Amino acid sequence: MQQRKILVTGGAGYIGSHTSLALLEAGYEVVVLDSLINASQEAIRRVEEIAGRNLSFIEGDIRDRACLDRLFNEHDIYAVIHFAGLKAVGESVEQPLAYYATNVAGTVTLCQAMQQAGIFRLVFSSSATVYGPDAPVPYQESMPRGRTANPYGTSKSIVEQILEDLVQSDKRWSVALLRYFNPIGAHPSGRLGEDPQGIPNNLMPYIAQVAVGRRPLLTVFGSDYATQDGTCVRDYLHVMDLAEGHVSALGRLTLLGTHIYNLGTGQGLSVLQMVEAFERISERPIPYQFAPRREGDLAAFWADSSKAATELGWQARRGLDDMIADTWRWQRQNPNGYRTNINTTSEET
Ligand code: NAD
Ligand code: WQD
């Protein structure tokens, strides 16, 4: 039987590469469209190596309508999983237009091309950030979207609204809005992982680079939050669990309409708990110093992920030790990420 073919935009990136692998392993055919603005084609090569199967890779931009039209002409796509976008919160404050052009206008272009090609199944990478700072924890899908703290978050909120309006206007669409909490970890082979360019913005890649000796110490932003140890609490989930959540969500697209799911573990952990667990598992010291709070950070949030469990049959299966052991294996085996033989002493690495 001909296998269903999935277009994965942003499939060379961190979550997209792990999801492409999960799709291949679940028997789907995969087409990846990625501009490589924040990724390396080496990730695609490794996905194919682990899966023992090839996918189709197209280097291109979701804002390029002609490219999308060609792609949909050449490939019989069952559904689109849409990861492509810009995701650095601080950069989004400095360059809001770039974020709206890619994340919002790019998604509109993608949906227009899908509509013309008669493809009406979409899974969208949203974020827990859409709940906003005033939502009570744990976050539940029935809560309204809140105000957002930066253009990145606003772009996710706007796209959710656009997709809801689209579904409202045309009943042929089925759209899953997946609200990720804090994905960390790597494929257990150590061959795929998160490969941030320059200085990591996020906690886990930063800790991993300290552990491997690429950075001298971690700066912990804020020690006076109203949490158990004064540091921020987040719901960290394994990227392979997240990847599998996308495979589960595809199954839900047989139902028309909008389907919103939190993808998290339901458990909050503090920055210091993450540091301690990384030290324990890596058996390396993680020196750190406290600094003032980072602007826009919330004290604590985590998911109520019972809806995904009930309706998708999905729940995070991997625990904290797996997340850290896999991150550490990836970091140790690939100290420079997907780039090899690069001198790591330069400022930018
Ligand atoms: P990533 O940067 O590793 O992946 C995004 C991919 O999209 C990259 O490979 C990049 O090259 C590609 N891309 C960017 N602009 C493009 C364009 N115009 N056309 C084609 N490709 C383009 O990020 P990620 O962590 O894998 O995140 C994937 C998605 O999940 C993003 O939409 C992100 O906003 C969302 N998300 C991520 C997190 C997280 O913590 N990582 C949390 C919530 C939501
Ligand atoms: C986690 C905690 C920091 C770095 C961000 C985006 C969100 C989503 C996921 C999506 C916080 C602390 C961090 C450091 C630290 N992105 N920290 N020292 O902020 O929960 O979420 O990534 O696409 O939209 O906002 O994740 O990993 O940046 O931070 O102390 O060097 O670690 O203050 O409390 P965050 P994070």
Side-chain angles (χ1 to χ4, degrees), residues 89 152 182 201-203 219-221 232 234 236 294 297:
V89 169
Y152 168 76
N182 287 61
N201 297 310
N202 298 112
L203 180 65
T219 302
V220 176
F221 300 128
C232 290
R234 296 289 181 273
Y236 297 94
R294 187 171 70 176
D297 272 346

Side-chain angles (χ1 to χ4, degrees), residues 87 89 127 129 150 152 156 180-183 200-206 218-222 225 231-234 236 271 294 297-299 301:
K87 65 161 182 177
V89 169
S127 167
T129 194
N150 50 68
Y152 168 76
K156 292 292 175 191
Y180 314 154
F181 282 69
N182 287 61
N201 297 310
N202 298 112
L203 180 65
M204 190 47 40
Y206 206 106
L218 170 73
T219 302
V220 176
F221 300 128
Y225 286 99
T231 64
C232 290
V233 167
R234 296 289 181 273
Y236 297 94
V271 173
R294 187 171 70 176
D297 272 346
L298 300 183
F301 61 85

Side-chain angles (χ1 to χ4, degrees), residues 9-17 33-40 58-64 82-88 101-103 106 124-129 152 155-156 178-184 194-195 202 239 242 246:
T9 74
Y14 174 45
I15 307 169
S17 57
L33 174 70
D34 199 301
S35 66
L36 299 180
I37 191 173
N38 195 36
S40 159
I58 296 159
E59 185 172 345
D61 199 298
I62 52 162
R63 293 166 295 174
D64 180 348
H82 178 35
F83 293 105
L86 303 176
K87 65 161 182 177
T102 296
N103 296 6
F124 174 64
S125 296
S126 190
S127 167
T129 194
Y152 168 76
S155 76
K156 292 292 175 191
L178 303 184
R179 294 175 176 166
Y180 314 154
F181 282 69
N182 287 61
I184 61 169
E194 184 169 12
D195 183 20
N202 298 112
V239 68
L242 183 57
H246 291 75

